[in-house]
């Protein structure tokens, strides 16, 4: 076997390994987001609950979210990003945004458009539809990358007031010859009361 053939097989092996690594990271980040978001949705405003009003205490919810991201993934929150530790699944920060969909809006479709730029997710638009869906509205998320590519995530249905968290991973490749790992992840969790 010639040296060029061996190099070709080595390169193909690296491409397969890199693709597998990217998929693993996406699944792991999705799992981390869903676990943290699940815990965050228990942060019900207790004073309002005694008056029969169910509402999310956003400060407590985000504290719970950050604590769970640290416990399960080794990430620490800094502004609108989660910074990885040496034990984290990603090596670069996770940019994120969150939205609380309350009792007045969960039965309406929610279209969220974000722009990823210089390590941040910036809101372009956040629009609720006029039509009510008694079974719950859909959350539709679109993210425009720095290269101008629009990424659309599969719609997720809300079954009650919900906390929506969107994260975007954009990190360097395992092998410099290959493209980096960039992907969005969304978690929609109903309030737990």
């Amino acid at each position: 076997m010639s040296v060029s053939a061996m190099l070709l097989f080595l390169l193909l092996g690296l491409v397969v390994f890199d693709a597998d690594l990217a998929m693993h990271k996406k699944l792991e980040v999705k799992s981390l987001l869903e676990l943290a978001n699940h815990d965050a949705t228990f942060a019900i405003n207790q004073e309002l609950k005694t008056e029969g009003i169910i509402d999310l205490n956003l400060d407590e919810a985000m504290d719970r979210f950050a604590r769970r991201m640290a416990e399960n993934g080794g990430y620490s929150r800094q502004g609108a990003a989660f910074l990885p530790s040496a034990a984290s699944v990603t090596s670069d920060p996770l940019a994120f945004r969150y939205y609380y969909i309350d009792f007045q809006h969960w039965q309406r479709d929610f279209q969220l458009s974000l722009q990823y730029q210089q390590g941040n997710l910036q809101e372009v638009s956040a629009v609720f539809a006029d039509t009510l869906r008694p079974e719950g509205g859909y959350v539709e998320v679109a993210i425009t990358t720095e290269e101008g590519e629009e990424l659309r995530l599969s719609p997720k249905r809300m079954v009650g007031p919900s906390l929506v968290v969107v994260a975007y991973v954009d990190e360097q490749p395992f092998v410099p010859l290959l493209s980096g790992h960039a992907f969005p992840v969304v978690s929609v969790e109903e309030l737990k009361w």
Side-chain angles (χ1 to χ4, degrees):
M1 183 179 282
S2 69
V3 172
S4 60
M6 285 178 29
L7 288 175
L8 178 63
F9 282 123
L10 179 61
L11 182 60
L12 287 174
L14 287 174
V15 168
V16 169
F17 174 77
D18 195 60
D20 188 49
L21 183 62
M23 183 56 69
H24 168 72
K25 288 182 179 190
K26 184 173 184 176
L27 292 173
E28 185 71 22
V29 169
K30 182 170 179 49
S31 176
L32 287 172
L33 229 61
E34 288 177 348
L35 289 170
N37 199 14
H38 177 77
D39 193 39
T41 55
F42 281 93
I44 298 300
N45 188 319
Q46 294 302 320
E47 287 180 17
L48 291 176
K49 186 177 178 183
T50 60
E51 298 173 21
I53 301 169
I54 305 299
D55 198 17
L56 186 67
N57 179 333
L58 272 174
D59 290 337
E60 182 187 343
M62 289 301 98
D63 287 346
R64 292 171 73 103
F65 190 94
R67 185 173 57 249
R68 189 65 69 207
M69 287 292 286
E71 290 171 358
N72 292 340
Y75 289 91
S76 60
R77 182 175 176 186
Q78 186 175 60
F82 279 97
L83 305 179
S85 67
S88 298
V89 69
T90 62
S91 54
D92 290 355
L94 302 177
F96 83 105
R97 296 288 297 223
Y98 63 88
Y99 297 86
Y100 169 48
I101 313 296
D102 62 20
F103 269 90
Q104 296 174 337
H105 295 93
W106 73 271
Q107 291 177 311
R108 300 177 187 275
D109 289 350
F110 178 56
Q111 294 182 339
L112 177 61
S113 179
L114 301 169
Q115 169 80 44
Y116 178 76
Q117 203 164 23
Q118 298 176 347
N120 293 309
L121 278 176
Q122 300 165 353
E123 182 181 306
V124 175
S125 67
V127 179
F128 287 98
D130 292 332
T131 308
L132 285 176
R133 291 183 189 263
E135 69 279 7
Y138 285 97
V139 175
E140 297 179 16
V141 179
I143 298 175
T144 305
T145 66
E146 288 180 313
E147 295 78 29
E149 179 185 3
E150 186 177 77
L151 306 173
R152 291 194 167 271
L153 294 164
S154 299
K156 296 202 175 253
R157 184 183 292 276
M158 294 178 280
V159 293
S162 301
L163 184 59
V164 176
V165 180
V166 180
Y168 189 77
V169 175
D170 184 17
E171 67 175 3
Q172 301 303 311
F174 174 71
V175 178
L177 299 171
L178 304 173
S179 60
H181 301 149
F183 51 85
V185 179
V186 64
S187 172
V188 178
E189 284 283 332
E190 181 186 11
L191 265 60
K192 311 297 189 293
W193 68 86

